[in-house]
Amino acid sequence: MAKTPTKRNASTNAPLKSSAGRHVKEPVSAKAAALAPFRALPNDKTLTTNGGVPIADDENSLRAGERGPTLLEDFILREKITHFDHERIPERVVHARGAAAHGYFQVYESQSAVTRAAFLNDPNVQTPVFVRFSTVGGSRGSADTPRDVRGFAVKFYTQEGNFDLVGNNMPVFFIQDAIKFPDFVHAVKPEPHNEIPQASSAHDTLWDFVSLTLESSHTMMWLMSDRALPRSYAMMEGFGVHTFRLINADNEARYVKFHWKPVLGVHSLDWDEAQKLAGKEPDFNRRDLYERIENGQFPQWELGLQIFGDAEADSFDFDILDPTKLIPEELVPVTRVGKMVLNRNPDSYFAETEQVAFCTSHLVPGIGFTNDPLLQGRNFSYLDTQLSRLGGPNFHEIPINRPVCPFSNGQRDGLHRMTIDAGETSYSPNSLDGNFPIAKSVEAGGFATYPARVDGVMRRVRSASFSDHFSQAKLFWNSMSDTEKEHITGAFSFELAKVKRVEIRRRVIEKMLAQIDLGLASAVAANVGLPAPAAPAQNGAPAKANGKSKAPAAALTSPLLSQLNPQIGVIGNITGRKVAILVADGAAAADVETMKDALADAGAEGLVIGATLAPVAGEGGQIAVDHTILTMPSVAFDAVYLPSGMAPAAALPGAGELRNFIGEAYKHAKALAASGDSAADILTKLGIETADGHANGVVTGEAAEISARFIEEIGKHRAWSRVGRMTVPR
Ligand code: HDE
């Protein structure tokens, strides 16, 4: 029998067998090892051309005479500049701005009853993952914090091949059929004639499109909610959105919705804060992810499954193939089956985060698609988009995209082929190479499509069971707390006030919002100078996929949709939170240390902020300053602490900036703490109520005594109900 040829990396000539025979139980290092042959050689410090020729002078180009023209002969200059000229690849059409991290996923118990996917069967295996978070509308250089959906794409490097769960932080989508995706994206992206606005949905074309495409109503409610302003990627839920199938070894199938539940809970920024961050700290979410990992505060999520069968699917008042619908957790509970931990930052943003290629079509045995028309279209789109982004059909050979299990087939050649395939055969069947590689039977682990029955008439048609566009938008609204409702009303008002054409504003209010909630519609109408709309005609009951009709669940609520529900917006865990400790001459060094230590013990970080970077002459010793009040704005912190001993507000250096800093933190509903009379006086002078020492997230008292209460307030994330917060700073 012919020997299986060794595949080699074209540039290093190292065997390309890094994926084969890898030790399954050490997956993070497994992916790191899989990348190793492609890393720049660490011991080679000589500057060379790409051909390896040592370079003697990298400061001066070759020229004729000291002040003469540069010569075309300078191949070193030409190679360097040519490479530079081609350093960019097309950014993603959508989800261009992103940040990513490595980690692992581990299942708690075998899920073999419902799926034969190996990575969901063995609790001893840690499967390497690479996760990319993104905004959707902005370009690659845009800010992290606009109001937007966030992408939540997970690549599992399993022993049966790569599985990509390409989800979002919202469980529903704007459209029902893939054929409308280019229209939606053209409408939400900057307008084509002037490329304005960047990374914002607040403009005419988006609202024109959605008010004419009412299937977007439910997702527009999510987009206008606080979910669109995540405080941290580590504080977002993730959703696979579509209904998928799980298939077990007996070939029994069940439906599944995939969820990611953040251990830190779901928490959001304030809209004013998000806008300011976009200017003052545009890398806010990206830096947060990076620093959490560098500090060992690894972001974690539990994988949740909502599993159900045909009978249940049939009993719902919506169609499980419709991606504008979610399944309330009260209807089908989410079972948490495993944990994902992100514990390693990429070494190279371009090589990893930019070149990673997610494809919904990357499935493993035991997981299957359904006929969701959006998913069906996505299965084409992702592979197709990589061809132009990554320059050809060999993008799976780019280190970040390579499976960690062995892979082989007869696919050869093409742009940027890295593998040096040896041997005569690149076809099957063959007799010259023992018929290798050989297909694996389904019984032995080969992939099989679930044999779902399909029959129907070929037509361009939308199922009548997809026609209810408002019941779940109402469900979402009805499930919100008063604070969340206030934020949603504010968001619609902001966005529509940015829409120039009055007929579009009116259409959104009458055709969309009035169908969801008349109070919401009237409040928004008043804010954008339009009359309150009339009550809409009653919705007809939507048709069901099985032909039966069922009344929509308009009046119901789903409490687990509210992020102010402590089960979703988990409270008490302040890991990775950042607290500003404002200091000036006279500040008590002991207070600063006490608070820093208490915060560190709770997993948070206290950073000392001064008027300049010079150490402050504190009472009891010098205090080192981490950042100045100008370089780290108030919006970059979760809470503010004022130690005792400083002069009254007016006498402090940079008093105006200081007032703004504290006032903004108050406005953004953050926890504030002050020790000693002078610090409390600074708050009082700003009009901040400190009377009972603990109201609305404001804590006063000796550092050692208040640290626990301060930490408790930070753990609540925000005091959203703080009275009068919109009037500060003055
Ligand atoms: Fe995507 N989407 N999408 N999308 N999507 C892309 O693929 C597309 C949809 C999502 O971090 C593109 O590699 C179509 C839903 C994420 O690299 C592109 C349709 C959901 C990411 C594409 C959808 C998503 C993308 C652009 C409707 C949530 C970023 C670059 C049929 C479940 C992945 C790329 C990353 C990226 C197409 C709808 C999530 C053009 C045609 C629904 C997280 O292929």
Side-chain angles (χ1 to χ4, degrees), residues 92 95 132 166-168 178 181 241 358 374 378 381-382 386:
R92 290 166 174 81
H95 297 265
R132 183 174 180 272
V166 198
N168 279 342
F181 191 64
V241 175
F358 293 94
L374 205 60
R378 292 180 75 200
S381 176
Y382 289 71
Q386 313 310 344

Side-chain angles (χ1 to χ4, degrees), residues 177-230:
D177 189 314
I179 201 166
K180 296 311 294 172
F181 191 64
D183 299 283
F184 166 70
V185 173
H186 289 171
V188 71
K189 279 271 190 177
E191 298 187 6
H193 60 302
N194 58 9
E195 218 186 31
I196 298 174
Q198 176 59 242
S200 169
S201 47
H203 59 114
D204 284 40
T205 56
L206 185 265
W207 289 96
D208 186 31
F209 175 81
V210 296
S211 61
L212 295 168
T213 311
L214 293 171
E215 67 205 50
S216 65
S217 304
H218 185 194
T219 308
M220 289 308 290
M221 294 296 287
W222 282 80
L223 184 65
M224 293 302 114
S225 80
D226 292 352
R227 300 278 183 146
L229 309 170

Side-chain angles (χ1 to χ4, degrees), residues 618-683:
E619 180 199 302
Q622 287 216 326
I623 303 170
V625 171
D626 295 308
H627 299 281
T628 76
I629 204 159
L630 294 178
T631 54
M632 277 294 267
S634 178
V635 284
F637 294 95
D638 293 288
V640 177
Y641 173 61
L642 297 162
S644 62
M646 294 186 287
L652 291 171
E657 292 299 337
L658 187 94
R659 267 203 293 276
N660 263 340
F661 196 103
I662 301 169
E664 281 203 332
Y666 186 83
K667 176 179 167 117
H668 299 141
K670 294 169 181 173
L672 300 178
S675 294
D677 291 344
S678 58
D681 180 59
I682 295 172
L683 296 185

Side-chain angles (χ1 to χ4, degrees), residues 561-600:
L561 291 178
S562 166
Q563 66 183 78
L564 294 193
N565 178 337
Q567 284 186 62
I568 300 299
V570 176
I571 55 176
N573 187 338
I574 68 164
T575 306
R577 298 280 187 169
K578 289 209 171 0
V579 179
I581 302 178
L582 296 180
V583 296
D585 285 351
D591 281 6
V592 173
E593 281 317 303
T594 303
M595 196 52 85
K596 270 185 137 179
D597 290 349
L599 291 167

